[in-house]
Every structure is written in C-alpha cells, then in structure tokens.
Amino acid sequence: MKSYLQQLENNEAILLMYLAGELPDADRQEVEQMLASDSALRHELEIMRQTQQLAFDALDSLDELSRPSQAPARAHEQVSRLLGQWLAKRRDAAEQDAKAQKIPWRRISFAAAAVLLVGYYIWAVYDRLDRRPPGSDSGIVQDDGTNPESDLPYARPPRPLSNDEKVALLSNSLQETSADKSDADESEQLQKLHVEEVAAVIPTDAVGPTDDASSDSAHAVNPGATGTP
Amino acid sequence: VDGYVPVDDTPANISDEMLVRRLLAGEQWAGDGLTQRHCIALLRYLQRLVRNDQLAEELHQQTWISALENLDKFDVTSGGGGFKAWLFRIATNKAHDHWRSRGREKKVKEGLRLVTDEIGPDASHRMEGAEAEAKLRAAIELLPDNQKEVLLMRYYGNLKFVEIAQMLGCPLNTALGRMHKAMIRLRELLAESEAAKRDSQRQLG
C-alpha cells in the first residue's frame, strides 16, 4: 500500500486520514509515534475527533428527528419495482438477441445437401471424362458397345461420320455388292450349263417347263406330266 | 414509516461487486441485496444534499435507473471505489444536473422554498423535536455545497476519502480540507445556535 504522509499537506489532513483508518500500516505507526511524542498534536486529534463526532451526531439526530415519512419505504419499493422492470426488459432483449443469433440449422442442412448433390454430379461427369483414354474420341465402337481402344466398357454411341468417311464406306459397300453379284452370275451360268446338259440327255417334250432356276428344280419332274400328251 | 430499514438478507461476505456480477447474470436476489444495502443511505444523502424530500426521492429514482442502465459499464477493477462510490457519484451528478437546470430559478425560489420547507408538516410534530431538527437542518443547509457534499458522502456513503476525491475529481488534500472545514463550520453553527437558545432562555427567565 502506498504511503500518504508525503502527499498530505497538513496535520488536519493526516489526522482525518488517521481517524478514518485509511492510512496504511507504516503511515499509521509513524503517526502514532508522532502522537506519542507531541502533546499538541494529541490535543489537535482529540478536538478533531469531537468535531467529527458532533457533525455525525447532528446528521444522525436530523435523520431521527425527520418528520414521519413514507419516503424510505416508498423509495425502496420504487427501486425494487424498477429492478424488476429492468430485469424483465433485459431478459426480453436477451431472448430477442438469442432469436436473432440462432443458427438456422435446417436451412443450412438443406443448402449443404443441395451443394453436395450438385458437387457430386459435377465430379461424376468430370471424372468420367477424365477416365477416357487418350484418342478415345475416335468414336470407334464395337458391336458389344465397348471401345476397342479402351479396356473399359464404352457405351457411347458412334459419332456422326464425316462426308469423306461416308464416301469411303459407300465405295466399300459397292465393291462388296459387285463381288457378290459376280458370284451370283457365275452360279447362274453354271446352273444354265447344267440345264443344258440335262436337256441334251432328256428329250425336250418330256420335260416340263422349268420356272425354277434352282438345281433342285431339275429333279422336280412332274409325275403327272409323264403321261400327259 | 420513519426509520424504515430494509432487511439485508444477503450474506455479508458477498461483496457489492459480486452482487453486481450476479445481477448482470439475471439473478434478482442480487439486485435486491444491492438495493437493501444502499437504498436508504443514498436517499438520506440526497435528502440532505438537495434539502427537499420530494426532489430527493425523484433524484434517488433517477440514480437507480441510471445505475441499472449503465450497470454493464461499471468496471469493478477500475479502482474508483466500488459500487457504492459509483452509485453516490451518479447521485451527486444528478443533483448537480438538477442545480444546473434550475440555476436560473434558484435565486427567485430559494426564499419561498425554505419557508415552505419549514412550515406545514413540521408544525404537527413535537415542538422540541421540530426545534432541534430545524436547527440542525439550518446548520447543515448553511454549509457551502462543496463542503456539504464531502461530509454527506462520508456520513451516508461511508466512503473513503480517496474514493470521495476520485468521485469529485479533486485532489485528496482538497477533499480532506473540505471535510475539515465542514466539521468546523458545523460546530460553529451549532455553538451559535446553542448560544442563541441560552440567550433567549435567559431573557425569558
């Protein structure tokens, strides 16, 4: 505790602080030493004690002599009422604040779920694109829906052909068709030759008209025709 | 009821500052404890300071309203003398505000107010008590305001001189000087009053 003796200007101040019991222990002991050795100071202290007592007694008497009044009881009642109102107001304000600051968990949950769904969808699309091997854009798809350049099942439909590719495919198709046609002509010629050989062995009138060019038709002799004129 | 003293049922070992904390936490018993401890002393202080019971009640109420509204700002650690000193400072400021606002009217109404204070209810009292009260009241009212403030804060608030000096914003020596002068002046006024009474009795005898 800091010392007051150095800053107190006069004896009255020191003695008032001493009487009030506000001096720290070291200061109080010093004052008591001074009082023990100084009778004038002791007298001054006694006068001051009496004067202070007189002033306090005067105020005490005034309180006792004051006219009967409802003031203290009424004042206490008023303050109690004020206190109740203040507490109620404070509780209301706290509730309002709590409502205002309450975290809307339901809304946040829905929003988070929506974000997760959208995020997952985007991730899935990009992941599928990223997993396609380089060159898989060739659009070559086998009959079973797999990409021959990829070991993964690839159900992607073939991409539209360019004009050049269409021309190339068409010319290939025509070549295949012409090859098939030449085979058919050869077969027909052989069949004709076979018919001619049969005709040479069998008389012409004994043989019915052949409307079927197949080889089986050669054996399809009409039994009824045998006796037919 | 004269001499009404509310029962302070809060444990003495609970400090005002602890009660303030509990009150801020919404516990009404703490507020009741604070009002029970300081309500009447504060009212008496204001009654003596403004010399008007009705005005004192009004200022008393204003003081508590202001204290409650600013309770969040009350700093226990500020070293300003605790809750009681803070409460008395608010009350003193309220009285000063009142005096400032009434400054113009004061001079005109002073004489009338003093007259009306002295008559009326006092007349229905015991003459002896009324006479003594009038003398004491007059002696205290004759003290300069700055001296009276320190004396009343010391008596009703039981505040330390250091706290009073902080409240009034003056040096400690000034607060002590005012207290000393108030005591001396009061003693002189009471002595004059006693002398006047003796003279009048002698003349009658």
Side-chain angles (χ1 to χ4, degrees):
Chain A
M1 195 180 253
K2 68 174 184 178
S3 171
Y4 286 110
L5 289 185
Q6 297 300 318
Q7 57 175 304
L8 294 175
E9 286 173 351
N10 49 41
N11 283 351
E12 287 82 15
I14 292 170
L15 293 177
L16 269 175
M17 289 288 280
Y18 176 75
L19 279 177
E22 291 182 36
L23 287 176
D25 286 347
D27 286 357
R28 187 172 50 78
Q29 285 169 8
E30 197 174 333
V31 172
E32 283 170 355
Q33 284 172 3
M34 287 158 62
L35 287 167
S37 60
D38 189 340
S39 59
L41 192 64
R42 279 202 303 276
H43 180 70
E44 201 176 337
L45 176 68
E46 190 52 35
I47 297 290
M48 186 164 290
R49 196 194 308 271
Q50 288 174 7
T51 310
Q52 182 174 271
Q53 194 58 49
L54 183 74
F56 287 174
D57 283 350
L59 288 165
D60 203 23
S61 301
L62 189 55
D63 287 342
E64 284 178 14
L65 293 168
S66 293
R67 62 178 177 269
S69 166
Q70 293 293 323
R74 189 170 56 232
H76 186 239
E77 196 182 305
Q78 282 172 348
V79 173
S80 295
R81 196 165 50 242
L82 283 174
L83 181 67
Q85 288 169 355
W86 178 79
L87 277 167
K89 195 174 155 187
R90 199 173 164 83
R91 273 190 219 109
D92 288 348
E95 280 173 17
Q96 292 293 328
D97 285 351
K99 277 184 189 173
Q101 290 176 359
K102 194 177 177 184
I103 300 169
W105 287 114
R106 185 174 288 182
R107 287 185 188 176
I108 288 175
S109 303
F110 281 126
V115 168
L116 282 173
L117 278 172
V118 170
Y120 176 74
Y121 178 76
I122 293 169
W123 172 81
V125 168
Y126 275 95
D127 183 59
R128 180 166 287 187
L129 291 174
D130 286 348
R131 287 171 69 179
R132 282 169 51 192
S136 62
D137 281 346
S138 60
I140 301 167
V141 181
Q142 291 177 342
D143 291 342
D144 60 357
T146 58
N147 187 337
E149 294 175 24
S150 169
D151 53 353
L152 295 169
Y154 187 61
R156 183 172 173 267
R159 63 178 172 79
L161 296 174
S162 66
N163 286 338
D164 291 343
E165 286 169 338
K166 284 178 184 172
V167 170
L169 278 172
L170 190 60
S171 63
N172 286 340
S173 177
L174 286 172
Q175 283 174 1
E176 284 172 8
T177 308
S178 61
D180 291 346
K181 194 178 178 182
S182 63
D183 289 347
D185 290 347
E186 192 178 344
S187 171
E188 196 176 347
Q189 284 174 356
L190 285 171
Q191 198 173 359
K192 278 182 180 177
L193 194 62
H194 178 69
V195 170
E196 284 172 0
E197 284 173 358
V198 171
V201 174
I202 301 169
T204 310
D205 54 352
V207 180
T210 56
D211 54 354
D212 189 353
S214 69
S215 57
D216 290 339
S217 63
H219 302 288
V221 177
N222 188 353
T226 310
T228 307
Chain B
V1 179
D2 195 23
Y4 168 83
V5 178
V7 180
D8 178 8
D9 51 9
T10 52
N13 59 350
I14 298 182
S15 66
D16 284 353
E17 288 66 39
M18 179 62 77
L19 290 177
V20 168
R21 287 198 193 97
R22 302 318 309 162
L23 179 58
L24 283 170
E27 296 175 27
Q28 178 146 7
W29 66 268
D32 291 337
L34 285 170
T35 56
Q36 284 159 5
R37 283 184 186 180
H38 305 303
C39 184
I40 302 306
L42 187 69
L43 180 67
R44 292 287 191 202
Y45 168 73
L46 284 166
Q47 283 175 331
R48 298 291 162 258
L49 193 65
V50 299
R51 299 168 293 190
N52 180 319
D53 286 356
Q54 195 179 346
L55 176 61
E57 277 186 59
E58 198 180 310
L59 294 178
H60 179 253
Q61 202 169 339
Q62 286 178 19
T63 300
W64 280 100
I65 290 171
S66 190
L68 290 171
E69 283 177 353
N70 293 287
L71 202 61
D72 289 320
K73 297 174 193 165
F74 170 65
D75 185 5
V76 179
T77 59
S78 68
F83 178 76
K84 189 164 63 175
W86 184 67
L87 199 62
F88 274 72
R89 180 162 54 220
I90 294 172
T92 309
N93 289 340
K94 293 286 174 198
H96 285 184
D97 290 346
H98 171 76
W99 286 330
R100 268 195 293 273
S101 68
R102 293 293 179 94
R104 291 179 211 162
E105 306 168 51
K106 194 177 176 183
K107 284 181 183 173
V108 180
K109 291 188 176 177
E110 186 75 13
L112 179 64
R113 189 184 55 73
L114 284 171
V115 169
T116 53
D117 275 358
E118 293 303 323
I119 56 176
D122 279 354
S124 63
H125 262 329
R126 293 170 294 154
M127 280 309 291
E128 206 176 304
E131 191 183 359
E133 183 192 351
K135 283 177 187 170
L136 288 167
R137 190 190 284 264
I140 290 166
E141 283 178 2
L142 283 169
L143 290 174
D145 283 344
N146 59 1
Q147 294 175 16
K148 190 165 53 185
E149 267 178 7
V150 178
L151 175 67
L152 296 178
M153 280 182 195
R154 179 81 189 135
Y155 178 74
Y156 289 110
N158 200 23
L159 299 175
K160 293 178 178 177
F161 287 116
V162 178
E163 294 169 350
I164 293 170
Q166 282 177 338
M167 278 177 58
L168 297 175
C170 65
L172 177 61
N173 280 301
T174 306
L176 289 164
R178 287 178 187 172
M179 177 69 181
H180 187 241
K181 283 176 186 166
M183 287 159 45
I184 300 288
R185 181 75 183 130
L186 196 57
R187 188 182 63 191
E188 288 170 357
L189 288 167
L190 290 172
E192 285 170 16
S193 173
E194 277 300 308
K197 186 182 175 184
R198 276 198 299 270
D199 285 348
S200 65
Q201 283 174 345
R202 199 177 300 136
Q203 283 172 1
L204 284 171

